[in-house]
Amino acid sequence: MQSAAPSRKDRRAQMAKAARIYGIKGQESLDLHNAYNALARGEIAEAVRLSHPITQNHPTNHHAWVVMGGAALGQREGKTAQSFFTLAGQIRPKDPVVLAGLAKSHVLQAQVEEAVLFAAQALNAGSDDLGLAGIYLDFMSRLGRRLAAAEVLTPVAHRLKNADLSFRLAEMLVEAEENGKAAPWYEQAWQLDPAPEKYKIGYLRALVIQCRFDEAEKLALDLLDKVEDRDSVVGLYLLLLRSSRRYDEAEKLAEENDFKTPEGYALARGVMANIHQDRAEWDEADAAYLEAIHVTGDGGNINKAYGVFLFRSGDYAKGAKYFERRLSDQQRARLPAANAAPENLSGLSRVTLMAEQGVGDQLALLSLLPLAPIAKGVPVRFVSETRFKPLLADNALNVEHVDMDEFTTTAQELNPSELVYVGDLTRYLDGAGKSDWTGNFLRPDPARIQILRDKYAEMAQGAPVIGVAWKSVSLIGLLRSMELAELVDALPENALLVNLQYGETTADIKAALGRRPDLRIISDDTVDQMQDLAGFATQIAALDHIATIDNTTAHMAGAIGHPSTHVLIPTGAECMWYWGDQPGADPWYGTLNLHRQEVSGDWSVPLAVLKSELSAS
């Protein structure tokens, strides 16, 4: 039965509504509306028939050009689509639909840089095109620009509330070693759609990352006999057991589980390598790493873990060969490890160092620059986050900062061989003496330092001023952390403590003061260590002493050459490779005082040494 034709009154109402939407009057407004509907149904010829006359009669109406561009996309005619969307963009340059169309036209032409540029603009302009978001995520992951992609996609994922996008965003952040940022997205994917197995496992991963071990263990045990991807559940459960120092249970599970994939087995061997290190079983750890790498033919992140394991023992030559394989094949295709080789670096007229890893790692790796065979006077640029710019404003390495977002979103005139990952400078550690690469290269603002120093001195009234940082709110930093209430036992009477710890600290401070009421603990709101790295450096420089775990505070203190910084170092796998494995002075910056655990999880010895040294100062 055919539907009745609309009445004249209804037709006038439809035209009026269409005119308000599309900006043209009469029958053409309805034609444009019908053209959009035809395009949505995949009726390309009909969409073109209806919209083409409008492009001639109303060339300044962007809607008709959008339909024509959409039709060209439907026919996979990228260059034609680009022409139509360019015309639309001249009329509405910030329209998210227009920008999305331009992005897709470049995808069809295999023009990746242009595609991601317009995709980011479209998504930032408010595009809710789920397909475009997926394309952008995939391309940016392949380009190794995961953190930049996450900044664009985070508000999109909040808007769209799509389980698959949330899950893929979490996976990308894990690949970028941003596990803490990934956890909420794993959880959102599961909350939006709890049925799929991969979302359940993602939620388990979120619980482990957030150290919610009771919830995680309950879920892991429930999933073990229900999921096809048992290897992933076992791997996460092993991480949980190791982080809880339940070593025997972890070893039993790793030995008894029948792994279905090489990757699952490799992950289990990697966890066991960490456990062997925690037990000071160095040969067994070495063998576990090599077995993991052998069984996969690659080892993925195991290469990086084994490389730094070798670095920590001082075997830099062997370690560098594994460490350079820490990045994906796609990233290496764009930026090969050979770019850091002496035969390349020595002949360059400019060097562009690309940041990787966290703030502390970047500071540590930048200090290797003097080892590299770069000709005198050759300019060196460091491409990193915006917050590094003021920190590097006056540095002894003569490095120029370049903003990462600007670098990756604008055309660059450069020689591909000048691009070097800063971590690839580790190849120059082999054969270098301690004095060749230690030292301090940051120069905080003296005037700002004095302002803070005077402020803290007035508060302290003659007592020592000590900066404190005691925890890392992540799985990877859990075994490096301690309770503030435990740390303060080692600090002098009546000291003024300046809180250098990021995150929520109210409960920690309350517990510490309950244990040591003679102390005063302040949090200086004038310094935001997460965003104002230069301010954080001046704050550290203004303090008499610093007592910290191994975190950004330690590296910042080393990079500025703070004369009385005491770093509490865990034993086993949690001892970062920068600190080596030998007792004594700091082998990296040359100025830090390192106090090492003798037994994993037992801080009594390093705290006793810290107390003795601060009492004597």
Side-chain angles (χ1 to χ4, degrees), residues 35 39 43-49 51 64-77 80-81 84-85 108:
L39 188 63
E43 298 172 1
I44 305 300
E46 178 67 4
V48 171
R49 185 187 72 79
S51 60
W65 297 116
V66 167
V67 174
M68 295 294 289
L73 289 178
Q75 295 294 94
R76 304 189 67 78
E77 298 173 357
T80 302
F84 287 134
F85 281 114
L108 289 177

Side-chain angles (χ1 to χ4, degrees), residues 180-212:
K181 293 180 180 179
W185 296 112
Y186 278 127
E187 189 162 0
Q188 175 164 295
W190 174 78
Q191 289 172 340
L192 290 168
D193 188 359
E197 177 179 300
K198 66 179 182 179
Y199 298 162
K200 293 177 182 177
I201 296 174
Y203 180 47
L204 173 61
R205 188 179 301 278
L207 294 174
V208 173
I209 289 170
Q210 295 169 331
C211 304
R212 294 158 61 182

Side-chain angles (χ1 to χ4, degrees), residues 37 90 238 317 409 430 454 465 539 582:
N37 288 336
Q90 291 172 357
L238 286 171
T409 57
D430 184 36
D454 291 344
V465 180
Q539 182 180 39
Q582 299 300 313

Side-chain angles (χ1 to χ4, degrees), residues 389-403:
K389 185 176 182 63
L391 180 67
L392 295 174
D394 180 22
N395 68 85
L397 300 176
N398 296 315
V399 172
E400 175 193 356
H401 177 269
V402 176
D403 183 79

Side-chain angles (χ1 to χ4, degrees), residues 255-298:
E255 290 178 353
E256 293 181 353
N257 187 66
D258 182 17
F259 291 95
K260 304 300 182 184
T261 65
E263 293 76 17
Y265 182 72
L267 174 59
R269 299 310 299 154
V271 175
M272 284 309 304
N274 285 340
I275 289 174
H276 287 312
Q277 291 174 76
D278 293 345
R279 291 170 165 172
E281 299 166 350
W282 310 113
D283 291 342
E284 291 86 346
D286 191 283
Y289 279 132
L290 289 174
E291 188 177 5
I293 292 170
H294 173 74
V295 77
T296 61
D298 180 310

